[in-house]
């Protein structure tokens, strides 16, 4: 039997989402955190179907229908496997919600009340709430007018099966349905109202209803003259895998806006529904052109993502993880500017354990400093109300040369990025809207400052987006530096991506799709050349995803040469570990915990002259071949040691890690009887807390001054 060389990318991603779902099953995880993991699972699946599954479905109608991917699967077979695995996980997801999370919340006095259990006072409250707060917002839509009404992507929608009331004359002008046909109407659940509606209770419990339950209960008021026979709640995911016309030139923003419009009416790839009406289900499957493999039953409450209001209830502290503070870095001054510190040494920032405030301050200081002449920066996902964007606007208004590379093709953030780009242009900044056929995914900011000894440059380079909100949830590493080698290369990098500058040789920054992949292959090959039986080579790497065939083949070759390879992959991994004669020296682990592991760290033993790199890029084809990415060496000795210690710690986790097996399954790692439990995220938090405590408690030197 031939060896399997690659796991399938999509099936590997589903396994990752299963690990996220696993966190909701853990009894030691606080109750509302378990609910949060359920919501993350749902949100992940929504995006997966909109992008990855949509792309596969399109292949069914093209010439690639019978083409096999690197794992040997054709699109029809792959879709079947995706459906099978996702149905299984969806069933588990809703079983956890309805049979575990909600009953445990009820035990804590937080009760979901379905319509059939409303008390009289609650029913009166719901009726009044519907009449005054909900009814004016609703728009019932007929389904018999030739063209089926538009159903918004990821919007909760209620379907109603109706029949005319006896003795009521049907007005043909209002409804032209044939008597023998089913009469079906659709009502979109308004997002302007919270889905959770708190009910009056006669005891000390907190009880809530769902907006969709109320709408279905009061449905007869929407359809005077008709009885409501059955109802069904559903949500659809549409194809969102659209590419913008890269040749649109000066009309690029208009072309991007057209892409956003197309998403609203693209073909449907999945529907989740409450199993309350078989007749309505069959009706929707027919009208929306969905097969049985495309519909997913959600018993009970559909879509846990909209239950997030429960995370903010009074007294929620005991149902959430204990608060972990974001500590201010010890190596940065608490007051004043950073320039003198950066001139002396590099500074490492490890968020969210350390505060993201230094990054915000770095840009703000540059915007306000009269000596700063220019700021150059890449923006991929910035979040809403970004203080960094506001500082860039201020810098431009202050007369500094501000150049910002805003990636409009950042999926699902396009609209926000268009808005930022227009605001920056109005403030006087130079805005570059990405690069034709490539996404600018690099994370870098360069500040040019006039000082007493001439022009000096400062850079911030990292693994994560310039987004202060996600920096509280995503683990990322970045470095502030005034290193001449790195800032020289940073200047060349911005010149290359801003215009017609020919590719110039950068000696310390490696840029995809030009030199980054080549450098990685050289580093892997160097380990092979230096590896001996007595002193085998060693590679450690941490990233989000690994699925680049060329990189994987190089790792297999290294394994066969005896190089010891340790991989920490949060998400997708198509490499097959532990196969004799191919990958027996490769191990793969994955850590899923309260923070999203997002940093990319690469270590190479190099015959004892160790090298470390940080990067914005995963080892994927899209990152190494189709995006502008950066990888840079860690050269400051203190920073090097810190990063190496952090990376090593990730391979010691035995409480929130899973080990990839050679059959593609992931086995939870559990500490042995004599083994100390290690939770990497907790260990890192405690490390930074100890450092902060020592700084606060450090004795202040006092000097006795002799006087005459």
């Amino acid at each position: 039997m031939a060896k399997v060389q690659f796991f399938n990318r999509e099936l590997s991603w589903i396994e990752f989402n299963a690990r996220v779902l696993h966190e909701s099953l853990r009894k030691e995880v606080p109750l509302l955190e378990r609910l949060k993991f359920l919501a993350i699972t749902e949100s992940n699946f929504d995006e997966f179907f909109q992008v990855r599954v949509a792309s596969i479905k399109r292949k069914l109608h093209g010439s690639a229908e019978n083409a096999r991917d690197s794992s040997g699967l054709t699109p029809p077979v792959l879709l079947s496997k995706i459906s099978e695995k996702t149905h299984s996980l969806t069933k588990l997801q809703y079983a956890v919600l309805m049979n575990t999370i909600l009953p445990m919340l009820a035990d804590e006095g937080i009760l979901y009340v379905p319509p059939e259990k409303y008390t009289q006072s609650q029913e009166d409250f719901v009726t009044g709430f519907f009449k005054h707060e909900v009814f004016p917002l609703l728009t019932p839509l007929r389904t018999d007018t030739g063209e089926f009404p538009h159903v918004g992507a990821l919007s909760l929608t209620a379907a109603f099966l109706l029949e005319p009331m006896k003795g009521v004359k049907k007005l043909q002008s209002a409804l032209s349905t044939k008597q023998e046909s089913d009469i079906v109407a659709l009502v979109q659940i308004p997002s302007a109202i919270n889905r959770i509606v708190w009910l009056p209770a006669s005891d000390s419990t907190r009880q809530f209803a769902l907006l969709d339950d109320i709408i279905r209960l009061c449905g007869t008021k929407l359809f005077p003259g008709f009885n409501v026979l059955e109802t069904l709640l559903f949500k659809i995911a549409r194809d969102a895998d659209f590419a913008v016309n890269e040749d649109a030139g000066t009309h690029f923003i208009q072309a991007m806006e057209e892409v956003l419009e197309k998403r609203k009416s693209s073909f449907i790839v999945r529907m989740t529904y409450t199993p309350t009406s078989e007749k309505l289900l069959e009706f929707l499957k027919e009208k929306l052109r969905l097969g049985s493999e495309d519909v997913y039953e959600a018993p009970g409450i559909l879509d846990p993502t909209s239950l997030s209001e429960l995370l903010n209830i009074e007294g929620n502290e005991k149902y959430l993880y204990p608060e972990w503070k974001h500590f201010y870095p010890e190596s940065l001054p608490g007051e004043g500017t950073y320039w003198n510190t950066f001139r002396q040494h590099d500074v490492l920032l490890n968020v969210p354990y350390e505060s993201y405030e230094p990054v915000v301050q770095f840009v703000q200081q540059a915007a306000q400093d009269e000596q700063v002449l220019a700021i150059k920066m890449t923006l991929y996902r910035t979040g809403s109300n970004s203080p960094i964007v506001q500082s860039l606007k201020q810098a431009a208004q202050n007369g500094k040369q501000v150049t910002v590379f805003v990636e409009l093709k950042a999926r699902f953030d396009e609209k926000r990025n268009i808005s930022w780009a227009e605001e920056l242009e109005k403030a006087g900044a130079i805005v570059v809207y990405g690069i034709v056929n490539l996404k600018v995914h690099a994370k870098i900011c360069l500040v040019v400052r006039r000082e007493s000894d001439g022009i000096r440059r400062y850079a911030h380079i990292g693994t994560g987006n310039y987004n202060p909100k996600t920096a509280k949830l995503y683990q990322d590493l970045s470095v502030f530096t005034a290193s001449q080698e790195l800032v020289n290369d940073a200047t060349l990098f911005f010149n290359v991506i801003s215009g017609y500058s020919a590719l110039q040789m950068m000696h310390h920054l490696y840029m995809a799709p030009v030199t980054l992949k080549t450098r990685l292959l050289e580093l892997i090959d160097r380990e092979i050349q230096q590896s001996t039986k007595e002193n085998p080579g060693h590679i450690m790497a941490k990233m989000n995803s690994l699925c680049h065939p060329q990189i994987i083949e190089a790792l297999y070759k290294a394994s066969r040469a005896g190089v010891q390879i340790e991989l920490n992959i949060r998400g997708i991994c198509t490499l097959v570990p532990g196969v004799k004669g191919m990958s027996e020296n490769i191990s793969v682990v994955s850590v899923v915990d309260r923070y999203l592991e997002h940093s990319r760290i690469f270590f190479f033993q190099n015959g004892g002259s160790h090298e470390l790199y940080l990067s914005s890029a995963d080892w994927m084809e899209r990152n190494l071949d189709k995006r502008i990415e950066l990888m840079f060496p860690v050269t400051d000795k203190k920073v090097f040691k810190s990063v190496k210690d952090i990376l090593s710690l990730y391979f010691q986790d035995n409480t929130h890690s899973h080990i990839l097996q050679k059959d593609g399954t992931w086995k939870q790692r559990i500490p042995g009887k004599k083994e100390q439990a290690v939770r990497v995220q907790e260990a890192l938090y405690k490390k930074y807390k100890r450092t902060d405590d020592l700084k606060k408690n450090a004795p202040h030197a006092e000097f006795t001054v002799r006087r005459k």
Side-chain angles (χ1 to χ4, degrees):
M1 186 176 177
K3 296 175 184 175
V4 176
Q5 279 196 290
F6 301 98
F7 294 130
N8 176 267
R9 169 181 167 159
E10 276 66 45
L11 299 182
S12 177
W13 182 91
I14 292 174
E15 289 290 340
F16 157 65
N17 217 27
R19 297 196 295 281
V20 175
L21 179 58
H22 177 265
E23 292 299 300
S24 71
L25 300 172
R26 299 173 71 117
K27 294 179 180 179
E28 69 273 21
V29 173
L31 185 52
L32 289 179
E33 298 289 352
R34 296 174 70 175
L35 177 62
K36 193 186 297 185
F37 279 113
L38 283 179
I40 293 171
T41 303
E42 180 76 9
S43 179
N44 285 349
F45 268 132
D46 283 340
E47 183 171 340
F48 175 69
F49 274 85
Q50 288 182 101
V51 179
R52 300 303 306 174
V53 176
S55 174
I56 300 167
K57 280 181 171 287
R58 259 193 259 109
K59 291 178 182 177
L60 291 178
H61 306 291
S63 57
E65 179 181 359
N66 296 315
R68 295 182 183 273
D69 62 22
S70 58
S71 68
L73 301 179
T74 61
V77 173
L78 176 55
L79 284 173
S80 177
K81 288 181 175 293
I82 288 172
S83 178
E84 179 185 355
K85 286 180 174 289
T86 308
H87 272 94
S88 175
L89 286 178
T90 301
K91 184 177 180 181
L92 175 59
Q93 175 187 345
Y94 282 97
V96 173
L97 176 63
M98 301 307 297
N99 301 333
T100 303
I101 304 297
L102 289 181
M104 290 181 70
L105 281 171
D107 291 341
E108 297 293 327
I110 305 166
L111 284 75
Y112 161 61
V113 185
E116 63 272 15
K117 293 188 177 180
Y118 293 162
T119 64
Q120 187 59 53
S121 64
Q122 289 173 338
E123 193 166 331
D124 293 342
F125 170 83
V126 161
T127 301
F129 178 80
F130 177 83
K131 179 180 178 181
H132 299 293
E133 302 290 334
V134 182
F135 182 78
L137 299 181
L138 302 182
T139 305
L141 300 173
R142 294 165 55 177
T143 61
D144 66 329
T145 55
E147 187 173 345
F148 195 75
H150 174 73
V151 179
L154 306 185
S155 297
L156 294 180
T157 305
F160 294 84
L161 181 63
L162 310 172
E163 71 170 3
M165 291 181 179
K166 293 182 180 179
V168 176
K169 185 177 180 181
K170 184 167 66 171
L171 300 176
Q172 293 294 337
S173 60
L175 209 72
S176 58
T177 309
K178 295 180 182 179
Q179 185 69 36
E180 66 270 19
S181 300
D182 292 329
I183 303 172
V184 178
L186 304 182
V187 176
Q188 183 171 312
I189 308 300
S191 58
I193 305 176
N194 286 333
R195 190 182 181 196
I196 290 177
V197 179
W198 294 100
L199 298 170
S202 58
D203 53 23
S204 60
T205 61
R206 287 174 282 186
Q207 303 184 18
F208 67 92
L210 295 179
L211 180 60
D212 35 287
D213 284 344
I214 294 172
I215 291 173
R216 288 191 283 175
L217 178 69
C218 300
T220 52
K221 296 177 176 61
L222 291 170
F223 311 103
F226 291 84
N227 290 318
V228 176
L229 299 179
E230 298 176 12
T231 64
L232 178 144
L233 189 71
F234 68 99
K235 180 184 78 170
I236 61 167
R238 291 184 178 275
D239 172 22
D241 189 35
F242 287 99
V244 67
N245 178 11
E246 297 280 2
D247 299 321
T250 57
H251 302 291
F252 186 73
I253 288 182
Q254 181 181 341
M256 181 58 69
E257 289 172 339
E258 289 172 0
V259 166
L260 300 182
E261 283 299 312
K262 286 180 182 178
R263 283 184 188 165
K264 296 178 181 178
S265 56
S266 57
F267 72 85
I268 299 168
V269 290
R270 180 171 81 138
M271 180 177 81
T272 48
Y273 68 95
T274 54
T276 49
S277 171
E278 188 66 31
K279 184 172 282 191
L280 283 171
L281 173 61
E282 293 304 318
F283 174 86
L284 290 171
K285 284 168 61 176
E286 178 187 349
K287 295 296 183 182
L288 300 177
R289 299 175 182 176
L290 297 170
S292 298
E293 70 280 3
D294 302 316
V295 296
Y296 292 77
E297 182 181 304
I301 297 178
L302 177 63
D303 190 6
T305 60
S306 53
L307 299 180
S308 58
E309 188 186 340
L310 292 175
L311 302 177
N312 302 317
I313 58 175
E314 185 179 352
N316 63 353
E317 298 85 2
K318 62 180 179 178
Y319 308 119
L320 296 171
Y321 286 128
E323 181 186 3
W324 284 359
K325 293 181 180 179
H326 311 292
F327 302 108
Y328 194 83
E330 63 160 336
S331 52
L332 285 177
E335 296 180 357
T337 59
Y338 297 149
W339 314 120
N340 186 52
T341 301
F342 296 158
R343 283 196 296 270
Q344 297 176 53
H345 56 80
D346 291 356
V347 173
L348 176 70
L349 190 66
N350 185 3
V351 296
Y353 308 102
E354 293 182 295
S355 169
Y356 195 71
E357 190 60 26
V359 179
V360 176
Q361 286 293 323
F362 177 62
V363 183
Q364 286 179 349
Q365 290 176 13
Q368 296 165 6
D369 190 330
E370 293 182 359
Q371 301 304 113
V372 169
L373 305 176
I375 304 172
K376 301 181 181 184
M377 193 172 193
T378 59
L379 293 180
Y380 190 72
R381 300 187 192 276
T382 59
S384 57
N385 302 317
S386 171
I388 289 175
V389 173
Q390 299 307 319
S391 292
L392 292 171
K393 287 166 58 179
Q394 181 187 3
Q397 290 163 349
N398 288 344
K400 304 181 192 306
Q401 187 179 62
V402 177
T403 307
V404 186
F405 298 79
V406 180
E407 183 49 77
L408 298 187
K409 300 190 291 285
R411 188 177 278 116
F412 303 120
D413 271 347
E414 299 96 339
K415 189 173 182 179
R416 181 182 291 136
N417 285 2
I418 289 171
S419 175
W420 288 138
E422 291 173 344
E423 284 189 36
L424 286 164
E425 279 191 324
K426 288 177 183 177
I430 300 168
V431 178
V432 180
Y433 298 107
I435 294 177
V436 176
N437 294 319
L438 296 170
K439 284 186 179 181
V440 178
H441 193 249
K443 328 294 185 185
I444 184 169
C445 177
L446 180 69
V447 173
V448 182
R449 190 171 186 264
R450 179 186 287 115
E451 299 182 359
S452 59
D453 57 348
I455 297 296
R456 192 180 290 271
R457 291 161 293 177
Y458 301 86
H460 174 261
I461 322 174
T463 67
N465 297 311
Y466 286 107
N467 187 328
K469 291 184 178 178
T470 57
K472 295 179 180 179
L473 303 170
Y474 290 17
Q475 186 278 325
D476 273 300
L477 294 172
S478 61
V479 172
F480 295 98
T481 184
S483 160
Q484 198 64 34
E485 293 84 1
L486 287 176
V487 297
N488 281 344
D489 277 4
T491 302
L492 295 177
F493 168 77
F494 279 111
N495 288 344
V496 167
I497 68 172
S498 64
Y500 292 105
S501 176
L503 288 174
Q504 301 177 57
M505 182 58 68
M506 292 182 284
H507 299 284
H508 302 275
L509 286 181
Y510 300 94
M511 184 179 82
V514 185
T515 58
L516 203 163
K517 181 177 70 176
T518 302
R519 180 58 177 164
L520 285 173
L521 292 172
E522 289 173 351
L523 292 168
I524 295 170
D525 187 63
R526 188 180 65 188
E527 289 301 309
I528 294 173
Q529 301 306 319
Q530 296 179 345
S531 183
T532 64
K533 194 171 184 180
E534 296 73 28
N535 187 24
H538 188 198
I539 297 171
M540 290 193 293
K542 176 183 180 295
M543 67 197 81
N544 298 322
S545 297
L546 167 62
C547 57
H548 197 296
Q550 202 172 348
I551 297 292
I552 292 174
E553 291 284 7
L555 293 173
Y556 287 159
K557 183 179 178 182
S559 174
R560 289 193 291 269
V563 178
Q564 301 300 306
I565 302 169
E566 298 176 90
L567 303 173
N568 194 299
I569 315 292
R570 186 197 79 210
I572 300 166
C573 180
T574 59
L575 175 147
V576 183
V579 177
K580 190 173 182 180
M582 182 178 80
S583 58
E584 60 210 273
N585 293 313
I586 304 177
S587 62
V588 182
V589 298
S590 174
V591 173
V592 178
D593 202 346
R594 66 183 288 174
Y595 294 145
L596 182 79
E597 292 297 337
H598 195 251
S599 60
R600 292 91 168 183
I601 315 169
F602 313 138
F603 166 82
F604 299 90
Q605 183 171 267
N606 188 26
S609 300
H610 299 174
E611 289 187 6
L612 259 177
Y613 296 84
L614 297 177
S615 180
S616 62
D618 291 313
W619 292 355
M620 304 177 73
E621 288 174 284
R622 72 178 187 189
N623 296 90
L624 301 182
D625 301 331
K626 301 173 184 177
R627 287 183 174 182
I628 301 294
E629 305 270 15
L630 284 176
M631 180 177 77
F632 62 98
V634 179
T635 54
D636 182 281
K637 290 183 179 179
K638 184 177 179 182
V639 173
F640 189 102
K641 183 179 185 308
S642 295
V643 175
K644 176 72 183 308
D645 289 346
I646 290 168
L647 178 61
S648 298
L649 189 58
Y650 273 98
F651 293 96
Q652 298 173 38
D653 188 295
N654 55 18
T655 61
H656 283 71
S657 64
H658 288 72
I659 303 171
L660 179 59
Q661 308 298 301
K662 59 185 176 183
D663 63 356
T665 60
W666 292 80
K667 183 179 180 182
Q668 183 183 2
R669 189 175 173 188
I670 300 172
K673 291 181 179 179
K674 296 183 179 180
E675 189 180 9
Q676 182 179 356
V678 178
R679 181 186 177 191
V680 61
Q681 293 190 358
E682 184 177 42
L684 286 171
Y685 169 74
K686 288 181 176 179
K687 170 184 176 292
Y688 288 101
K689 185 177 186 304
R690 283 194 301 271
T691 301
D692 189 70
D693 289 342
L694 287 172
K695 183 172 66 173
K696 288 178 180 177
N697 297 325
H700 297 285
E702 293 185 8
F703 300 94
T704 302
V705 180
R706 284 200 176 99
R707 299 183 185 277
K708 264 188 173 181

